[in-house]
Amino acid sequence: MAASDENTPLLANDHANVTTGDSAAARDGQPAPLINKASSESRLPRRWQRVLTPELSLLIAGFLITTALCFTQVPILYAFRKMECEEFYKHAPPYEGVGDRCNEYQIDSGTALQMMILGLSNIVCGVINLFLTGMYIRRRGPHFALMLNTFFPILRVTMQAIGVGVGFRTGIVLVQVSQIMAIVGGPAGYLLVLNTAIAEVVEPSQRTGAFGKLQGAAMFGTAVGYLQGGIVGEMTAIIRPFEITAGLLALSCIYCFFCTPYIDPKTLGAGDQKKPSSVKKGKSPFAVLGPQMRRLRDGSLVKFYSVPILALGVFVAVLAVGYGPILTQMYALTVLNFAPKENSFFMFLTASVRGLFLMFAFPRIITWGRKWQAPKKDAKQPDPVLVESIPTEPQDMDPVSALPEQEPVNPPKPVDEDAGAAFDLWFLRVSMLGDALLTGCIGFASQSWHIYLAGFLLPLFSGSDAASKGVFTEMVPPAQRPEVLQAISLVGSIAALSTVGIFGLVFSAFAAVGKANLSFFVIAAVAVFAIIILLFVKIPPQGSVVESDDEEAEVQE
């Protein structure tokens, strides 16, 4: 029989790898961090695991995958233009002028059409991929889902490289058809997997900051991918960035297999068991965004509408800010005569500053803000009584007073480590307000440095996406955390799809009358509307728990 001590569990169960805290902290009487201990299981040697923590390994994975996926974003535009040019001169007479032979409006129009089809298919396939990725996570766990979302992009970019090599209309068709592989695994699903995994491996009080770090790592990858992909595409053959991307994705897939933590799907959301709830796992993604039935401390039931209101506010917010970078590039290109190199530098500047802010400043702001908004103690603790001397003789001791009749009525309460949704919500509103003001100011830009200044200042009001995830994960039961992250990703994808169509038409209409700058004022107005919606969001009552939807009880409206 194996040896045991006072820390050995008497009964083994399926959740033995899920702990509610460190044993040392428990012995000291302090609340311990609630994290999923299954996250420490990886294929790395033990000494490497001490350096490459689960959180750090996920951040590196986000950087590597995003860098690889963004490496072809700039070259693919030139590849489409090259293939359209080849198709055009397949039927048109040979070019006899000077300069670029592809500088024809028919070629530019065809390139824009193909890029629009590529963008829309990317978003549609990404939405479907989010549904499938949520199923992967629930059935096989985040590690398996991450492997799928890094392996199938290798096949997709390989097919794109073949298409670019073939050229003409056939090559364009091959590139467009390759988007189908993004349904099984693609750029939309891997971020959902990483957000789900990082929510399991960090302490609840650090969850919002971890979401920001992950987004910042992705922004660094975006900046590096855009810059290096454009340089390689300009200095070498146009097919070379696609070949390098395939290699980078293969490297990312190997890294994810060996270095990212394994989390048992049975333990998802189980590391937060101090929040009791009768709600079970397995709700559909959009069902978790509906109104909640919450039982208050006095036993009464109330209907809580803040979750759907918050989802609506996030949708309108993404609708407003999602088109901002594209609109700024188009405005700089058409009004301020920016060259492609200047636009690339603008995108690199914006992504780099956003990455720095989210990686280093945002987590500290969240930590400081939560301490600032933490509830103060109701009464000041009495100062300790100083004892001048301790009696050593029996006759010097006072008589022992009678024992109290009962235990203290109000024992000290443990510290609630994850009670920080109030500041996250406040930060979300403030960041949206700053984004609205700066976006409106871009409408007055008349010189190049105005655009660069906006590209530096706008990222300082980012973090709304991470803050909204932090609020959502606090409003739903721990068991539904993967579903709510999937749902908010779907809301963001649908909003991104909508903003391309809506504000694309708005910019086109204003540009036709020579008032392209008015588009920024429209976006700022939509952002203000998002803030108004977010003002109606309330934090759940303290001590309340979510009940199942079929609860048979009287509801207080």
Side-chain angles (χ1 to χ4, degrees):
M1 183 175 180
S4 61
D5 56 19
E6 65 272 14
N7 294 325
T8 304
L10 298 179
L11 295 176
N13 53 58
D14 292 339
H15 299 287
N17 57 349
V18 180
T19 181
T20 55
D22 184 77
S23 58
R27 287 194 298 268
D28 294 338
Q30 299 295 329
L34 306 176
I35 57 176
N36 197 327
K37 289 298 183 183
S39 62
S40 62
E41 301 176 7
S42 68
R43 294 172 174 82
L44 290 176
R46 286 290 181 184
R47 57 182 180 181
W48 287 24
Q49 291 182 26
R50 297 190 189 99
V51 178
L52 193 64
T53 62
E55 180 185 3
L56 180 59
S57 68
L58 293 171
L59 295 179
I60 295 175
F63 171 77
L64 290 176
I65 300 173
T66 308
T67 301
L69 292 174
C70 290
F71 207 85
T72 59
Q73 294 303 305
V74 174
I76 200 168
L77 174 62
Y78 296 97
F80 269 26
R81 187 169 184 265
K82 171 180 173 291
M83 290 186 287
E84 276 291 328
C85 184
E86 293 171 346
E87 184 68 23
F88 176 77
Y89 284 107
K90 186 178 179 180
H91 306 286
Y95 183 74
E96 297 180 353
V98 294
D100 185 8
R101 73 177 190 132
C102 297
N103 192 14
E104 298 284 346
Y105 74 91
Q106 298 98 327
I107 298 175
D108 291 338
S109 176
T111 302
L113 176 63
Q114 296 299 333
M115 286 299 297
M116 182 194 70
I117 296 173
L118 183 70
L120 292 177
S121 64
N122 193 32
I123 295 176
V124 172
C125 293
V127 171
I128 302 175
N129 174 241
L130 286 174
F131 280 103
L132 293 178
T133 301
M135 182 183 68
Y136 302 153
I137 293 172
R138 271 300 180 200
R139 294 185 178 181
R140 302 293 299 274
H143 191 270
F144 175 81
L146 186 60
M147 294 304 301
L148 282 182
N149 281 279
T150 52
F151 175 74
F152 276 90
I154 300 175
L155 302 181
R156 187 186 66 159
V157 76
T158 302
M159 190 172 178
Q160 290 177 352
I162 295 173
V164 173
V166 171
F168 300 95
R169 185 56 53 86
T170 305
I172 294 177
V173 172
L174 286 174
V175 173
Q176 300 287 16
V177 171
S178 70
Q179 291 295 102
I180 298 177
M181 296 183 186
I183 295 177
V184 184
Y190 85 94
L191 284 176
L192 171 61
V193 177
L194 292 176
N195 276 294
T196 303
I198 208 166
E200 296 291 324
V201 302
V202 300
E203 298 178 13
S205 60
Q206 299 176 357
R207 192 178 296 145
T208 303
F211 289 146
K213 289 181 182 178
L214 181 59
Q215 189 182 4
M219 283 295 106
F220 276 125
T222 300
V224 174
Y226 270 105
L227 183 64
Q228 296 298 322
I231 293 174
V232 172
E234 185 175 350
M235 297 180 62
T236 62
I238 196 63
I239 195 177
R240 200 70 64 219
F242 297 88
E243 297 172 345
I244 294 176
T245 298
L248 290 175
L249 285 171
L251 177 64
S252 301
C253 188
I254 295 172
Y255 171 84
C256 291
F257 180 79
F258 287 102
C259 300
T260 55
Y262 171 79
I263 301 174
D264 191 337
K266 296 180 181 179
T267 67
L268 287 175
D272 224 359
Q273 293 297 341
K274 72 177 181 178
K275 293 183 176 180
S277 175
S278 63
V279 178
K280 298 180 180 180
K281 298 180 181 181
K283 266 196 169 187
S284 63
F286 288 112
V288 298
L289 298 182
Q292 297 174 333
M293 297 293 297
R294 283 191 168 266
R295 186 174 294 279
L296 304 182
R297 283 182 171 178
D298 59 4
S300 60
L301 282 175
V302 296
K303 207 159 190 177
F304 189 68
Y305 292 95
S306 287
V307 173
I309 295 174
L310 178 60
L312 177 61
V314 170
F315 176 85
V316 179
V318 175
L319 194 70
V321 304
Y323 198 70
I326 301 176
L327 177 62
T328 305
Q329 290 183 77
M330 295 177 64
Y331 179 78
L333 182 65
T334 57
V335 178
L336 301 180
N337 299 317
F338 265 36
K341 184 182 295 185
E342 293 173 310
N343 256 332
S344 297
F345 180 74
F346 167 77
M347 290 299 295
F348 176 77
L349 173 66
T350 302
S352 300
V353 175
R354 181 174 281 115
L356 287 170
F357 174 80
L358 291 173
M359 281 287 291
F360 302 106
F362 176 77
R364 288 171 173 79
I365 292 174
I366 293 296
T367 301
W368 173 84
R370 288 185 169 198
K371 291 180 180 178
W372 172 59
Q373 283 203 351
K376 306 298 181 182
K377 293 183 179 180
D378 297 333
K380 187 177 180 180
Q381 297 293 335
D383 295 331
V385 179
L386 299 178
V387 180
E388 295 182 359
S389 62
I390 300 177
T392 57
E393 299 294 335
Q395 61 271 18
D396 297 333
M397 296 184 180
D398 295 331
V400 179
S401 59
L403 295 175
E405 296 182 0
Q406 61 182 8
E407 297 280 339
V409 179
N410 297 317
K413 299 180 180 179
V415 178
D416 190 3
E417 293 184 7
D418 55 350
F423 179 77
D424 295 353
L425 181 59
W426 179 85
F427 181 88
L428 176 60
R429 294 165 179 163
V430 172
S431 64
M432 284 303 305
L433 178 61
D435 206 304
L437 293 175
L438 279 177
T439 302
C441 291
I442 298 177
F444 298 102
S446 58
Q447 299 182 29
S448 300
W449 69 270
H450 294 162
I451 299 297
Y452 291 128
L453 180 62
F456 177 80
L457 294 178
L458 273 175
L460 301 181
F461 291 95
S462 57
S464 57
D465 180 70
S468 65
K469 286 185 175 71
V471 179
F472 271 114
T473 53
E474 297 297 336
M475 285 187 173
V476 301
Q480 294 180 357
R481 191 187 302 145
E483 279 80 10
V484 80
L485 289 173
Q486 181 184 4
I488 198 59
S489 299
L490 287 167
V491 168
S493 297
I494 296 172
L497 179 63
S498 303
T499 191
V500 171
I502 294 174
F503 286 106
L505 294 175
V506 169
F507 178 79
S508 178
F510 283 131
V513 295
K515 298 292 184 180
N517 62 316
L518 296 181
S519 303
F520 293 99
F521 302 138
V522 177
I523 288 182
V526 175
V528 171
F529 181 58
I531 298 171
I532 295 175
I533 296 175
L534 293 173
L535 290 176
F536 291 93
V537 178
K538 298 180 180 179
I539 300 301
Q542 189 175 8
S544 64
V545 294
V546 179
E547 295 287 344
S548 58
D549 296 333
D550 56 352
E551 189 73 21
E552 299 285 344
E554 182 179 357
V555 179
Q556 297 180 358
E557 296 294 337

